[in-house]
Amino acid sequence: MAGRLFGVGVGPGDPELVTVKAARLIGEADVVAFHCARHGRSIARAVAEPYLRNGRIEEQLVYPVTTETTDHPGGYQGALEDFYADCASRLAAHLDAGRTVVVLSEGDPLFYGSYMHLHKRLAPHYPAEVVPGVTSLSAASAAAGRPLVEREETLTVLPGTLPGEELAERLRTADAAAVLKLGRTFPKVRQAFEDAGRLGDGWYVERAATDRQRVLPLADVDPADVPYMALALLTSPAERSFAAPPPARPEGAGGVWVVGLGPAGRPWLTPEAQDVLASATDLVGYGPYLDRVPPNPRQRRHGSGNRVEADRARHALALARDGARVAVVSSGDPGVFAMATAVLEAAAGDEFADVPVRVVPGLTAAQAVAARAGAPLGHDFCVLSLSDILKPWDVVERRLAAAAEADLVLALYNPSSSRRRHQLPAARDLLLKHRSPETPVVVGRDVGGPEESVTVTTLGELDPDRVDMRCLLIVGSSATRVTERGVVFTPRRYP
């Protein structure tokens, strides 16, 4: 079985700019081939050195000529044709033996790369793949810190070996340009920039992305000291036309955004919420919820306990009044048993009358648990909290009884905690006065989190001891059904 051929770009010279795929293929190769001059040194091989494994075979592809002066009957081009044919034959022997062959290419294999001449000869006969690399053009633009093109501008790439008159004409009409293959061609290239009236706009980059990198205005370069591994840049006209002012600090842009984080994890976070969190200067919230937002040293974080909502709201509003962009975080949706009400209530006073407040919705725990179970909220439903911390228990009982008598599906928040153990058994007993013991009940715990569990049981079999504060319960109506596969749904048509 024939081996595989890979033309692998290793980038402009920095081993850290080798792609992950290129590094893997180099390390796995049976044969590593690389071009070099007669001195034997290869930039591509030097870049790949950290990724080479012991026991590989190396094929050194030594150019027969480096200038157009040659005794070959076919001249310079004929000498290269024979050279590439010989190299292809040598690599074909390895491929016929079933070996994996990686041909290293500085920069990108198909951007002025020698590999392309081997690819044309071998790819029609063997499995072949080209792995792109960072080009010298990209590295030079990055080294100079200057954009090449933007919007509708065009980029012209030119070899320095073109006649001077043609170079000048193309530079004269180009938006942006890169001239490669300098070295001995540099005096001609510099003159072409000058003849085109673009010398003052040109930049020179030598050995980009290496420890010998140099970046200079093109007009300041000594022609006697220019290597082949250099290029001249004419960057974006927009970049040359103005110097952007330093970034302005927002003034008077303070406000409060009450953000719903969803039940758990980034996948449950809406794009709008992500945008608000990214642009905030200050984050305010209950500690465990705040911990769900990745830290950013640019932002200040203000964590607090779970029972100081009013204080937390006033703190956020005070920060915003002083110009901060404040994101107040809530689990689930901030308007459902969460921080939106506390912030809006505090903002209603005269002290914070000028502070804008916006609520950014989030996926609720009820929606998350329902989706995991099927569609138990497919018809009319009621959302209740069993906590009696902020309202008397007799109010909870009246509302439970009313919802049960109305045959509504119920989503029960805060069903139990370490200090509140009587509410759920009492709620179950009350519901059983109006519902069959066979009524489906969904118990969702830590939905979206690492300890997620969803249990489908019945009202008669519900065990309150297995429910804690991290749970949400959905109690079905008389119409709610459970399929043989355990899917729970409430039909949209009421009996």
Side-chain angles (χ1 to χ4, degrees):
M1 183 176 178
R4 290 184 60 84
L5 172 68
F6 294 93
V8 174
V10 296
D14 182 351
E16 291 187 341
L17 291 179
V18 174
T19 66
V20 173
K21 183 170 184 177
R24 176 178 62 80
L25 290 172
I26 293 167
E28 295 173 351
D30 300 314
V31 181
V32 175
F34 51 90
H35 293 85
C36 63
R38 290 185 177 180
H39 52 55
R41 296 187 299 275
S42 165
I43 295 174
R45 189 199 179 284
V47 175
E49 176 73 34
Y51 310 108
L52 295 172
R53 67 173 176 85
N54 294 331
R56 82 273 174 189
I57 301 166
E58 292 195 7
E59 285 284 356
Q60 195 172 25
L61 311 178
V62 182
Y63 290 111
V65 290
T66 55
T67 70
E68 296 188 10
T69 301
T70 177
D71 295 331
H72 192 281
Y76 177 75
Q77 192 59 41
L80 286 181
E81 287 294 322
D82 287 351
F83 165 66
Y84 290 127
D86 176 66
C87 291
S89 176
R90 290 161 56 188
L91 298 184
H94 290 297
L95 293 167
D96 288 337
R99 300 184 184 107
T100 299
V101 177
V102 165
V103 180
L104 304 177
S105 179
E106 187 176 4
D108 183 90
L110 300 183
F111 186 72
Y112 291 115
S114 295
Y115 168 76
M116 67 181 68
H117 303 291
L118 303 176
H119 189 81
K120 288 185 287 188
R121 289 168 169 81
L122 294 170
H125 310 291
Y126 302 95
E129 180 180 345
V130 178
V131 180
V134 177
T135 67
S136 58
L137 178 55
S138 299
S141 172
R146 285 170 166 76
L148 286 173
V149 283
E150 62 177 87
R151 296 191 293 272
E152 289 77 35
E153 296 167 358
T154 58
L155 172 66
T156 302
V157 181
L158 303 165
T161 51
L162 287 176
E165 297 81 2
E166 184 175 351
L167 279 172
E169 180 58 30
R170 297 203 181 199
L171 290 169
R172 189 176 293 113
T173 58
D175 289 331
V179 184
L180 287 67
K181 303 184 179 184
L182 295 187
R184 289 184 298 272
T185 71
F186 181 76
K188 175 182 63 176
V189 171
R190 185 188 188 283
Q191 186 62 49
F193 269 83
E194 188 167 2
D195 292 346
R198 314 296 290 272
L199 183 59
D201 296 328
W203 283 88
Y204 168 86
V205 182
E206 174 185 314
R207 298 186 175 96
T210 74
D211 55 4
R212 300 169 66 189
Q213 172 180 295
R214 281 204 307 160
V215 179
L216 295 169
L218 189 63
D220 297 345
V221 178
D222 181 357
D225 192 27
V226 175
Y228 180 79
M229 306 305 297
L231 56 81
L233 289 177
L234 184 66
T235 53
S236 166
E239 187 274 332
R240 298 192 301 267
S241 63
F242 68 95
R249 299 295 181 187
E251 295 181 5
V256 173
W257 286 259
V258 193
V259 181
L261 300 178
R266 190 177 184 85
W268 303 77
L269 196 63
T270 68
E272 181 185 17
Q274 293 182 45
D275 182 59
V276 169
L277 292 172
S279 62
T281 61
D282 292 74
L283 303 177
V284 173
Y286 171 46
Y289 298 158
L290 204 57
D291 290 342
R292 286 168 50 186
V293 182
N296 185 330
R298 174 182 58 79
Q299 297 173 323
R300 296 178 295 180
R301 300 166 76 91
H302 311 269
S304 54
N306 196 28
R307 299 194 178 188
V308 290
E309 290 184 351
D311 293 341
R312 189 155 58 234
R314 290 181 60 83
H315 185 205
L317 290 163
L319 291 169
R321 185 182 54 195
D322 293 337
R325 292 175 57 87
V326 184
V328 178
V329 299
S330 281
S331 181
D333 183 278
V336 180
F337 302 123
M339 280 300 299
T341 298
V343 174
L344 291 171
E345 186 175 5
D350 293 340
E351 184 180 1
F352 302 114
D354 296 331
V355 177
V357 176
R358 180 177 172 187
V359 178
V360 180
L363 182 67
T364 68
Q367 291 171 309
V369 172
R372 289 290 199 254
L377 305 182
H379 207 298
D380 299 340
F381 65 93
C382 174
V383 177
L384 284 172
S385 169
L386 293 189
S387 172
D388 58 356
I389 295 175
L390 299 178
K391 64 179 181 290
W393 178 246
D394 65 315
V395 172
V396 177
E397 288 183 313
R398 289 201 306 271
R399 292 177 178 176
L400 273 171
E405 186 176 357
D407 200 21
L408 295 170
V409 176
L410 288 95
L412 301 180
Y413 281 70
N414 307 315
S416 184
S417 72
S418 60
R419 291 184 291 181
R420 291 188 302 101
R421 303 304 301 173
H422 76 279
Q423 286 93 339
L424 183 56
R428 179 199 56 193
D429 294 344
L430 190 155
L431 290 172
L432 282 170
K433 294 179 181 179
H434 303 272
R435 301 280 167 91
S436 163
E438 302 305 315
T439 301
V441 175
V442 178
V443 182
R445 186 177 189 278
D446 192 34
V447 170
E451 300 178 10
E452 174 180 316
S453 67
V454 177
T455 303
V456 179
T457 184
T458 64
L459 191 58
E461 296 292 330
L462 176 63
D463 183 359
D465 290 337
R466 303 190 65 174
V467 177
D468 60 25
M469 193 65 176
R470 299 179 69 185
C471 294
L472 180 135
L473 273 61
I474 297 178
V475 180
S477 71
S478 62
T480 303
R481 300 287 180 264
V482 182
T483 71
E484 292 182 358
R485 292 183 295 175
V487 177
V488 184
F489 68 95
T490 303
R492 293 182 63 189
R493 290 183 177 85
Y494 200 78

